[in-house]
Amino acid sequence: MLSPPMPTMPDAVSAATKDDPRADYQTLSAQGLFFDHYRRCWVAASRETAHAVFHAPELMVRPQSEPVPATLAGTAAADIFAKLVRMNDGPVHLALKAAVQTALDSITDQDVRQATKELAHWFALPLPLDGASVTRFNYGLPILVLAKLFGIDGSYWSGLVDDVLAFTRCVAPGGTGEEMSAGMMAAERLTHCTQQQWQMPGPLLQNLLQAMGALDKSDGSQPWAEANAIGLWFQACEGTAGLMGQGLLAGLQRGWQGNAAEWVEHVLNDLPPIQNTRRFVATDINLSGCPLHSGDEVLLLLAGHASSSEQNLAFGGGVHACPGARWARAIAITGIEHLLQQGVNAQTLLNRSWRRSPNARVPEFR
């Protein structure tokens, strides 16, 4: 068997978890759109080429031949994945995505911040604060803010955080066999949890069902609302944890000068928590002078080429742009403010590593 050729440029995937990938991204960005023979995919490395890929209708969020990862086949995780509006293309999912956006927009910034403040106290962080508790807080806070607004009872919250983390490992590339098994079992529990909540839904779950119910779906709106409620959990988990963790590091690097909102915005412009994403060519297309053929894979870099909120691609772009940008900012800022009140300092953040991931940049403190 032939080995893949050795890379001649910085690796766009491993850059996501390097301590300082800025030089790598600068080198890659200068290449625009190019074929990476080591990764065997196209790389849209500059902002211009990534933006073009996001808005090209010939490129899809999943391969046409594999709309759901084959590794999930026959499991509850596959049933969820097939209904996720951000993981599928087509008119049905596009309409449903608008419904998810409508439901998220129905909750005000003030309500998101108030829920975040209340949930922050639920964690009962130790004093003095330690790194492991900060890591658990960063992952758990966005999950529980959504859970509270779904109406889920507090007795489920602790296990809920573990289940969402397990499900996230399961649907992301690179999970071990053990992690896949744990994630599939977690998918069953998450589905059961949301199904039980229909008797007494919170405002976000109620609004999600109403928005999807207006779309006249032949198989009913409830299964779609359940799947996309779980989708909101797993998409908020790594991204918001990365925004909070890196926001803390930005504050530390500035000697705690400024405020949480400024640190979060710096992270989004500099090294956002999700550093790359993928698209798949459905129809041959010539893009930036390069011939992309049906079945080709494109890796889009979201980091290393922005200096302002107007330029950054931190929340993606095109029809699959993240609908939760406003929520992520509100939760991250409020969460960081709470950690500052609890005495987070340089010693708390001293020992850290990066979450094992091909695209998420999440500091894990110990």
Side-chain angles (χ1 to χ4, degrees), residues 131 134-135 138-139 238 241-249 273 349 351-355 360-366:
V134 171
T135 298
N138 290 351
Y139 282 124
E238 287 183 328
L243 196 52
M244 292 174 64
Q246 287 202 82
L248 288 169
L249 293 177
L349 309 179
N351 295 315
R352 62 180 181 268
S353 56
W354 297 100
R355 177 174 173 82
R361 184 172 180 80
V362 187
E364 294 186 331
F365 308 104
R366 299 188 293 273

Side-chain angles (χ1 to χ4, degrees), residues 337-349:
E337 289 172 346
H338 181 78
L339 290 172
L340 291 172
Q341 292 168 1
Q342 299 300 304
V344 68
N345 56 32
Q347 188 64 34
T348 318
L349 309 179

Side-chain angles (χ1 to χ4, degrees), residues 169-239:
R169 275 281 184 227
C170 172
V171 296
T176 66
E178 186 176 350
E179 288 169 341
M180 295 296 292
S181 296
M184 291 170 187
M185 294 173 63
E188 294 179 4
R189 290 191 293 270
L190 291 171
T191 300
H192 180 68
C193 180
T194 51
Q195 286 174 341
Q196 281 192 317
Q197 204 55 44
W198 290 122
Q199 295 179 354
M200 194 178 295
L204 181 57
L205 200 58
Q206 180 68 43
N207 293 343
L208 187 60
L209 183 62
Q210 286 180 349
M212 291 195 165
L215 299 175
D216 189 27
K217 293 205 48 55
S218 60
D219 54 351
S221 301
Q222 193 165 312
W224 292 81
E226 290 165 4
N228 283 284
I230 296 169
L232 288 175
W233 268 325
F234 102 81
Q235 289 172 65
C237 174
E238 287 183 328

Side-chain angles (χ1 to χ4, degrees), residues 251 254-263 340:
R254 296 177 177 201
W256 305 111
Q257 297 298 307
N259 57 54
E262 293 170 357
W263 305 335
L340 291 172

Side-chain angles (χ1 to χ4, degrees), residues 235-366:
Q235 289 172 65
C237 174
E238 287 183 328
T240 312
L243 196 52
M244 292 174 64
Q246 287 202 82
L248 288 169
L249 293 177
L252 174 63
Q253 290 164 1
R254 296 177 177 201
W256 305 111
Q257 297 298 307
N259 57 54
E262 293 170 357
W263 305 335
V264 163
E265 212 57 40
H266 170 77
V267 172
L268 292 172
N269 293 334
D270 184 33
L271 294 171
I274 304 301
Q275 304 247 299
N276 64 67
T277 188
R278 294 173 190 267
R279 292 293 184 269
F280 301 86
V281 182
T283 307
D284 291 358
I285 179 178
N286 192 299
L287 203 66
S288 301
C290 299
L292 278 61
H293 300 293
S294 176
D296 285 356
E297 183 176 342
V298 184
L299 181 76
L300 295 81
L301 298 190
L302 310 180
H305 42 56
S307 58
S308 69
S309 56
E310 291 74 25
Q311 290 182 329
N312 78 52
L313 297 174
F315 295 103
V319 297
H320 288 290
C322 174
R326 179 174 61 87
W327 281 60
R329 281 188 170 94
I331 294 170
I333 291 168
T334 309
I336 291 171
E337 289 172 346
H338 181 78
L339 290 172
L340 291 172
Q341 292 168 1
Q342 299 300 304
V344 68
N345 56 32
Q347 188 64 34
T348 318
L349 309 179
L350 179 63
N351 295 315
R352 62 180 181 268
S353 56
W354 297 100
R355 177 174 173 82
R356 174 170 55 84
S357 171
N359 69 336
R361 184 172 180 80
V362 187
E364 294 186 331
F365 308 104
R366 299 188 293 273

